[in-house]
Amino acid sequence: MKSVAVIGASLAGLYAARALRAQGFDGRLVIVGDERHRPYDRPPLSKDFLTGASGQEQLALADAEEIAELDAEWLLGTRATGLDTAAGAVLLDGGRSLSADGVVLATGAAPRRLPGEVPTGTHTLRTLDDAQALRADLAGGARRVVVIGAGFIGAEVASSCAALGHEVTVVEAAPLPLVPQLGEEMARICATLHADHKVTLLTGTGVSRLHGAGADGRVTAVELSDGRLLGADVVVVGIGVRPHTAWLEGSGLPLDDGVVCDAGGVTPLPHVVAVGDVARAAGSRAEHWTSATEQAAVAVRNLLAGSTVATHRSLPYFWSDQYGVRIQFAGRRAPGDTPRLVEGSPDDRSFLACYERDGRTTAVLALNRPRPFMRLRRELARATRPATA
């Protein structure tokens, strides 16, 4: 294999490029990214970057020295438009094409958007440009912020806006946010964080449309499905993401809520692998920071080998910072698993809990208990690691 194209210049793409060099690939390496920025860290966008506590320079995932050591060609601000598997070429905007012996798909995901007309002052938060636009809007005199969606991104944005002094309302269609991730009992505890900081949480109702007014069509209100109107100067939509696969339609690769691949990231075409948010590996798709970083080394190893010689199966792990509380979760919780308090108190918003099933621990949740959480996370990872020959 003399040339590899990494399509996607974010976290998963950077880690794939690192793995290629670390595993001895010394051929031509081309990294294609539709953003104009070099790889940066996304989690701070909804937190420290949004509040102004950190700047763009703190987001960089690689310094100038590492960029040089990768010895890669960077095609930034360039969008991939198709994959010609027969010709071994990636089609790029402007009618260009890029030939490669191997391809790493790391195009991530794009935010879901509300249907219908979107007034000025309505934002999603996925990219650095998104965060810069939202930060500027919040600094422009906005008082009332409505966040649509109470998942982790929505909750983090609400937390940051509250810290900036805005009047914040969060709208969630589900009766209680984060139940699929945490279960009802623990999700209810986490939902109380909003009220602790004078943020209004409205659940069990959707959004029918957004209202705008003025010459620039600026957002003025959010109309809920039950007919209520919420005044708004800024609206942030955080209702999930869709894997970025539209450009792969017609390529012959199987697409189903992501690029379908095996547990090693290998697609039905051995010279094409998928990593990160876009990869639907062994029937599931993970949208977490740790998954993107860990999948890359395995997928690259298989790409260079020409077949699946390694698989990735690590313990799922994610975290979220909200209202000064760090929420950490690790494991594979199933409906019916019972949470047991190990230490601390939910009333203090600082505790450690284990989810149990048939006498064994399946997952761990912590609020502001990082050290004991990491210890239990390591124990859980050892206990659930599959046996190897």
Side-chain angles (χ1 to χ4, degrees):
M1 189 167 289
K2 297 180 178 179
S3 61
V4 174
V6 177
I7 313 302
S10 191
L11 180 71
L14 174 64
Y15 271 74
R18 286 173 173 170
L20 282 162
R21 293 308 191 203
Q23 295 181 30
F25 176 71
D26 59 2
R28 183 190 184 203
L29 174 58
V30 184
I31 303 174
V32 179
D34 60 356
E35 293 185 63
R36 54 190 173 88
H37 310 287
R38 290 199 187 277
Y40 59 87
D41 206 16
R42 294 187 192 275
L45 295 180
S46 58
K47 299 182 276 289
D48 286 351
F49 184 82
L50 192 58
T51 62
S54 66
Q56 184 174 341
E57 60 278 3
Q58 281 83 47
L59 298 177
L61 287 170
D63 58 24
E65 182 178 354
E66 183 184 4
I67 294 294
E69 289 176 352
L70 281 177
D71 189 24
E73 300 172 40
W74 294 82
L75 300 180
L76 299 178
T78 301
R79 187 168 56 89
T81 59
L83 181 63
D84 188 338
T85 55
V90 180
L91 307 181
L92 307 176
D93 54 9
R96 297 170 292 171
S97 65
L98 172 65
S99 297
D101 299 324
V103 177
V104 179
L105 303 176
T107 46
R112 295 178 182 271
R113 300 181 183 274
L114 294 176
E117 186 176 350
V118 178
T120 304
T122 305
H123 301 263
T124 55
L125 183 55
R126 179 73 178 180
T127 69
L128 176 56
D129 291 344
D130 291 340
Q132 289 173 329
L134 175 57
R135 190 162 78 167
D137 221 356
L138 292 171
R143 182 175 62 86
R144 303 164 301 173
V145 178
V146 174
V147 179
I148 302 172
F152 289 118
I153 288 293
E156 289 171 2
V157 169
S159 169
S160 296
C161 290
L164 290 170
H166 299 285
E167 177 187 314
V168 185
T169 301
V170 181
V171 179
E172 169 59 45
L176 184 66
L178 301 178
V179 170
Q181 295 86 355
L182 305 179
E184 184 172 346
E185 182 178 348
M186 294 294 110
R188 194 173 301 282
I189 293 170
C190 290
T192 61
L193 293 173
H194 296 290
D196 287 349
H197 294 81
K198 297 181 173 56
V199 171
T200 301
L201 174 63
L202 302 178
T203 61
T205 183
V207 172
S208 59
R209 69 188 183 105
L210 305 180
H211 293 256
D216 60 350
R218 181 83 195 182
V219 67
T220 58
V222 176
E223 183 176 338
L224 304 182
S225 54
D226 58 13
R228 283 179 290 174
L229 282 179
L230 305 177
D233 303 307
V234 168
V235 172
V236 183
V237 180
I239 53 175
V241 298
R242 298 181 188 274
H244 197 340
T245 59
W247 70 283
L248 292 168
E249 293 177 1
S251 66
L253 288 175
L255 307 175
D256 179 16
D257 186 36
V259 177
V260 177
C261 54
D262 64 18
V266 180
T267 72
L269 300 175
H271 64 283
V272 179
V273 298
V275 295
D277 290 0
V278 78
R280 185 172 179 81
S284 65
R285 192 171 61 82
E287 297 174 5
H288 305 308
W289 197 95
T290 49
S291 299
T293 60
E294 293 171 354
Q295 288 173 343
V298 174
V300 161
R301 180 181 174 190
N302 294 329
L303 177 68
L304 296 176
S307 63
T308 303
V309 297
T311 58
H312 171 261
R313 179 179 167 80
S314 66
L315 192 71
Y317 166 63
F318 60 83
W319 76 93
S320 178
D321 294 320
Q322 304 172 23
Y323 305 105
V325 174
R326 167 149 288 199
I327 301 171
Q328 294 172 286
F329 181 93
R332 295 182 174 86
R333 186 198 72 84
D337 291 0
T338 304
R340 176 176 62 85
L341 195 66
V342 176
E343 64 177 56
S345 168
D347 294 336
D348 298 330
R349 309 299 186 247
S350 176
F351 66 88
L352 182 71
C354 290
Y355 294 82
E356 297 177 342
R357 183 194 321 147
D358 300 328
R360 63 184 181 88
T361 299
T362 59
V364 183
L365 171 70
L367 270 64
N368 277 349
R369 296 270 170 158
R371 289 188 177 180
F373 171 83
M374 294 306 292
R375 175 177 54 81
L376 285 183
R377 177 190 171 194
R378 288 192 295 268
E379 292 177 4
L380 186 59
R382 286 194 294 268
T384 58
R385 186 175 295 134
T388 56

